[in-house]
Amino acid sequence: LRFEGVLELPDQPHELIGTKFSRPDYSLSTGRFQQSVVTYSTEKLTIKLGRDDMLSSKLRPHIFAYPIFADGVSWSYSWQSWNFEHVYQSLPAERHSGQVFRRSVSYHHLSKTFNSLTIGAGEYFILAGENIGLDLKRFNPFLPYSLNSHDSEADYYPGFTGDSDNSLIKLFLNWRKQSNKVSINLYIDEFQIDAVDREVYSDAILLSLSAENEFTVFGQRSKLNWGFSAANPNFGQHPGPFTTTTFASF
């Protein structure tokens, strides 16, 4: 059982840590608890409850801005060479034309490990609304999120042409050998199968490659952390209310 907490007090603009207010004439006039999480771990089960970074890849290069940590719960269960993980988090609310939108993100994946290689598939589901509460349908880790909109009516709000939810599919491959790690992630937001649809709508796909290599240079242990991404320009965009894949400045 472990507790971790982090308080940030910046002398920079408040947007840096995801808060809404600061006094430019006073240093350290704003702050945010970026982390406050309890973790319970056993050999097969890990449960996190509180505010934490539950979605990021550990191999992501440090040059990129880190996301603002969100409140929620995550759990993962490993059995032999299989692993299942589920995350549900409430994102910071956003405002548009005087209306406040609450946001949540759900994530789950199933993976299998073959010696040094792990492959898997998962889904993200971003939901926004005036008062979403705890939506059990979207909290259910064993339902395919991409099919949720097929059996329920979607919400639409003035000023937005799209509905209030957005689902993404993720395929991933991780390879680890001694001190070397490689991660390949394919994110699919939109994929058109029919030729007629392809003439009207474009795909929205992101391919990300990241790696971490440790080696010795002049007798000193060194680490190289690098990454590469390619995507359609419209990847992650969604015409609904704050249902894009952006999260604060990340």
Side-chain angles (χ1 to χ4, degrees):
L1 188 66
R2 184 175 72 251
F3 172 79
E4 295 174 276
V6 174
L7 171 64
E8 283 191 345
L9 298 172
D11 59 356
Q12 301 294 319
H14 55 270
E15 293 86 358
L16 183 68
I17 61 170
T19 57
K20 304 295 184 183
F21 175 80
S22 64
R23 286 283 301 271
D25 51 336
Y26 286 99
S27 181
L28 309 180
S29 63
T30 188
R32 188 176 195 267
F33 280 95
Q34 294 288 30
Q35 187 180 38
S36 180
V37 60
V38 175
T39 304
Y40 173 76
S41 300
T42 67
E43 183 179 353
K44 296 182 178 181
L45 178 67
T46 299
I47 301 174
K48 287 187 175 183
L49 180 63
R51 177 172 294 183
D52 197 19
D53 178 13
M54 301 179 183
L55 294 173
S56 286
S57 168
K58 296 180 180 180
L59 292 180
R60 181 166 50 85
H62 295 284
I63 191 173
F64 295 112
Y66 275 85
I68 304 302
F69 292 8
D71 300 278
V73 58
S74 75
W75 61 274
S76 63
Y77 184 79
S78 298
W79 177 73
Q80 297 182 358
S81 60
W82 293 89
N83 173 264
F84 183 83
E85 181 174 352
H86 175 229
V87 179
Y88 180 87
Q89 290 187 287
S90 295
L91 305 180
E94 301 284 355
R95 181 184 297 272
H96 175 78
S97 299
Q99 186 174 15
V100 175
F101 290 90
R102 309 295 174 184
R103 306 172 68 210
S104 70
V105 59
S106 304
Y107 171 75
H108 58 187
H109 80 221
L110 180 66
S111 64
K112 183 174 176 57
T113 300
F114 304 90
N115 296 324
S116 302
L117 184 68
T118 299
I119 60 174
E123 284 183 300
Y124 296 89
F125 192 89
I126 302 170
L127 178 66
E130 295 180 84
N131 185 15
I132 57 177
L134 182 60
D135 192 324
L136 295 180
K137 176 182 177 182
R138 293 168 175 85
F139 184 77
N140 190 331
F142 307 113
L143 287 177
Y145 299 145
S146 59
L147 299 180
N148 270 348
S149 58
H150 290 203
D151 61 5
S152 293
E153 293 293 336
D155 291 325
Y156 288 84
Y157 293 91
F160 301 95
T161 59
D163 56 10
S164 60
D165 57 51
N166 185 19
S167 61
L168 296 89
I169 297 174
K170 173 186 179 182
L171 306 175
F172 61 92
L173 181 151
N174 297 321
W175 177 83
R176 180 169 184 169
K177 193 74 170 181
Q178 296 176 344
S179 300
N180 299 302
K181 307 175 188 177
V182 177
S183 178
I184 301 175
N185 295 279
L186 179 66
Y187 301 91
I188 305 173
D189 193 4
E190 296 290 343
F191 181 73
Q192 312 305 328
I193 299 177
D194 299 326
V196 176
D197 292 335
R198 193 172 294 279
E199 293 179 358
V200 181
Y201 306 104
S202 63
D203 295 330
I205 299 174
L206 167 65
L207 176 64
S208 174
L209 169 67
S210 58
E212 184 179 286
N213 309 105
E214 294 186 12
F215 48 90
T216 302
V217 178
F218 303 119
Q220 299 295 322
R221 295 292 296 171
S222 302
K223 179 184 292 185
L224 175 64
N225 195 3
W226 58 275
F228 172 80
S229 295
N232 300 101
N234 63 320
F235 173 80
Q237 297 178 358
H238 190 268
F242 303 101
T243 48
T244 66
T245 58
T246 55
F247 180 12
S249 61
F250 174 70

